[in-house]
Amino acid sequence: MTEPGGAARAALPLILAAAATVPGVYLGATGTMPAPPIAAALFGMAIIGAAFLLSWVAEAIQVDISAGLAIGLLALIAVLPEYAVDFVFTIEGGRDFAAHGPSCVAPDAAPGTQSSCGLALANMTGANRILVGVGWAMVVLLAAWRLHRNRVRGGSTRPMRSPKQTSVALLRTDAVPLAFLAVATVYSLALPLRQSITFVDTAVLVTIFVLYCVRIAKAPAGDPDLDGAAAWIGGQPRVRRRLTCAALFAFAAAVILLVAENFAHALVDSGTDLGISQFFLVQWVAPLASEAPELLVAGLYAWRLKTTDALATLISSKVNQWTLLVGTLPLVFALAAGSASGLPIDSAQRGELLLTAAQSLFAVSLLLDLSITVRGALILLGLFAGQFVLAAVLPENVAGLELLLLSGVYILLAVVNFVRHRDQAVSLLRDGFRTPYRDLVDAGERST
């Protein structure tokens, strides 16, 4: 039973997150629009507040459903803000496609105006690469630093193995999302060769996601380890808990629907006002706002050394974004465009898609043995940062070359890993698709 003071402290984050949505909700409801940078900040803050509420609801529902399905739903709910923002850009792209053709840009548009179709893909690729290059790496590096600090504070005199060899291990059940991510990634490597993302891609990627959900739904129920606001919600009596989850979900979803379009427009307008590339803001700043709560929650898990939970959630989110999000973009685009034409892929976006798929392939190859070392995390983070370094030093007349160079590095490293660990790759795929879930759980319990 939670003490009154403890309940108040646990509920405080919920109140603060809800309060963070108020300015953005007010602006969206009244149509009041301050300067674009201020509007973008307030709308972004509202999305972050709503995303935190969603993440706590997603954790709390683990009390009522199976562990595997809970992780999948947690990942799905946590990235709803990313879906909302990306769908806004996709709808804009569909409307511009209907008005101006495949270029998605008006003939009289100012020089340098970004294609709205390109912005939709930029937002998606940026979110995916941040999730892996920053999120996955952050979990490992935070955990390694905490372990090192604990040893120092504990006065241990035992020699510590090389910090770069310190690793974060996953459970055998985590082979399931990794196996489905591997299949989706191999398929996605063909996307940069297309002129557009079509309904065929929708059918394939959404099918992969549905099969993934069917697979994880077979996981037995577990005893979730909740903390903070999620623990307060999960600790309520059953009826009150479910009503609270439903109410918070409805509130957060309403906030996101109200402010997502305004946030997207304010962000693009901010680029114009501040002289910053619209493409840069949409690809990197917008995903940071929508992904921030998920990354912060994963970081807190890693800080408390609950690294398996942290990394498993981020992997499920990656599966979610790389299948359902990418797969639904053509549907949203077609509805907005009034056409069955797929979402156009211009030359710049082919490079972005290739780099995103290549990064995903390398990330999967790092986890073939269901663990990732500090060295692997540093490579992920270093290659992620490498894009910005190369873009800054390469001449403008070879813009985009850094995407091809880094894609080649990712793919080469991935192939080396798959060849070296081919037996583990076969085991991972077998566990991911065929081994009964009960056997995976039992194996994990015996190893702990």
Side-chain angles (χ1 to χ4, degrees):
M1 189 78 176
T2 306
E3 297 179 0
R9 286 192 298 273
L12 180 61
L14 292 169
I15 297 172
L16 294 176
T21 69
V22 173
V25 168
Y26 173 79
L27 295 181
T30 62
T32 304
M33 289 296 153
I38 296 175
L42 294 177
F43 288 130
M45 186 170 68
I47 287 177
I48 290 174
F52 267 113
L53 294 176
L54 289 174
S55 68
W56 290 322
V57 169
E59 288 186 79
I61 62 174
Q62 296 179 69
V63 175
D64 294 305
I65 60 179
S66 72
L69 186 57
I71 289 177
L73 286 177
L74 190 158
L76 176 60
I77 293 173
V79 297
L80 283 180
E82 174 59 34
Y83 276 67
V85 174
D86 209 355
F87 283 175
V88 168
F89 289 116
T90 304
I91 291 170
E92 294 285 340
R95 291 171 179 168
D96 287 347
F97 179 89
H100 311 300
S103 69
C104 298
V105 178
D108 58 349
T113 299
Q114 295 289 337
S115 159
S116 51
C117 298
L119 292 180
L121 290 175
N123 188 253
M124 180 274 291
T125 55
N128 271 277
R129 297 216 294 275
I130 287 172
L131 192 64
V132 175
V134 176
W136 291 22
M138 173 192 66
V139 167
V140 181
L141 298 177
L142 267 179
W145 186 75
R146 281 281 287 167
L147 286 170
H148 174 71
R149 198 179 74 160
N150 288 348
R151 289 179 63 86
V152 172
R153 286 187 172 182
S156 174
T157 58
R158 294 179 60 189
M160 186 177 181
R161 63 176 180 167
S162 171
K164 290 185 180 181
Q165 295 297 328
T166 302
S167 63
V168 168
L170 293 168
L171 298 176
R172 194 173 168 188
T173 51
D174 294 316
V176 175
L178 282 170
F180 281 92
L181 178 58
V183 171
T185 296
V186 171
Y187 179 81
S188 69
L189 286 169
L191 294 180
L193 305 177
R194 315 277 184 76
Q195 297 295 319
S196 62
I197 303 177
T198 67
F199 289 159
V200 173
D201 303 311
T202 295
V204 173
L205 293 172
V206 173
T207 297
I208 292 173
F209 179 76
V210 170
L211 293 174
Y212 166 65
C213 290
V214 171
R215 175 74 163 133
I216 63 176
K218 298 176 182 178
D223 185 16
D225 183 15
L226 304 180
D227 188 64
W232 180 78
I233 299 171
Q236 303 295 317
R238 183 174 63 177
V239 175
R240 187 188 304 169
R241 177 179 65 247
R242 293 179 177 178
L243 289 175
T244 300
C245 286
L248 289 174
F249 178 83
F251 172 78
V255 169
I256 291 169
L257 289 175
L258 182 64
V259 307
E261 183 173 1
N262 291 317
F263 173 63
H265 291 161
L267 200 63
V268 171
D269 292 341
S270 296
T272 302
D273 285 5
L274 300 175
I276 301 173
S277 166
Q278 295 175 350
F279 186 89
F280 178 87
L281 291 175
V282 169
Q283 186 170 41
W284 303 118
V285 176
L288 277 177
S290 55
E291 303 269 11
E294 188 175 12
L295 294 176
L296 288 174
V297 169
L300 290 173
Y301 273 135
W303 185 257
R304 297 199 299 265
L305 297 180
K306 296 170 64 176
T307 51
T308 298
D309 293 336
L311 192 55
T313 300
L314 292 181
I315 290 170
S316 292
S317 294
K318 172 65 178 177
V319 175
N320 190 305
Q321 291 190 19
W322 207 220
T323 56
L324 189 62
L325 175 59
V326 179
T328 50
L329 290 182
L331 292 176
V332 175
F333 179 84
L335 290 173
S339 167
S341 298
L343 176 61
I345 305 174
D346 59 30
S347 57
Q349 289 308 312
R350 287 192 185 91
E352 298 287 350
L353 281 169
L354 176 61
L355 181 57
T356 308
Q359 183 205 47
S360 180
L361 187 69
F362 174 62
V364 170
S365 76
L366 288 175
L367 287 166
L368 291 176
D369 64 349
L370 296 180
S371 68
I372 179 171
T373 64
V374 168
R375 179 182 286 108
L378 288 172
I379 294 173
L380 273 180
L381 185 60
L383 290 175
F384 174 81
Q387 176 187 347
F388 303 100
V389 176
L390 288 175
V393 300
L394 289 175
E396 290 187 7
N397 62 341
V398 292
L401 179 61
E402 73 278 4
L403 305 179
L404 297 178
L405 290 175
L406 288 173
S407 296
V409 172
Y410 276 127
I411 292 174
L412 177 61
L413 292 175
V415 170
V416 170
N417 282 340
F418 276 109
V419 171
R420 290 178 58 191
H421 304 288
R422 52 189 176 276
D423 291 340
Q424 292 166 322
V426 172
S427 296
L428 184 142
L429 293 174
R430 182 174 58 248
D431 283 349
F433 297 126
R434 295 183 57 188
T435 305
Y437 229 111
R438 183 72 260 176
D439 293 348
L440 298 178
V441 173
D442 290 344
E445 291 174 349
R446 288 195 299 270
S447 64
T448 57

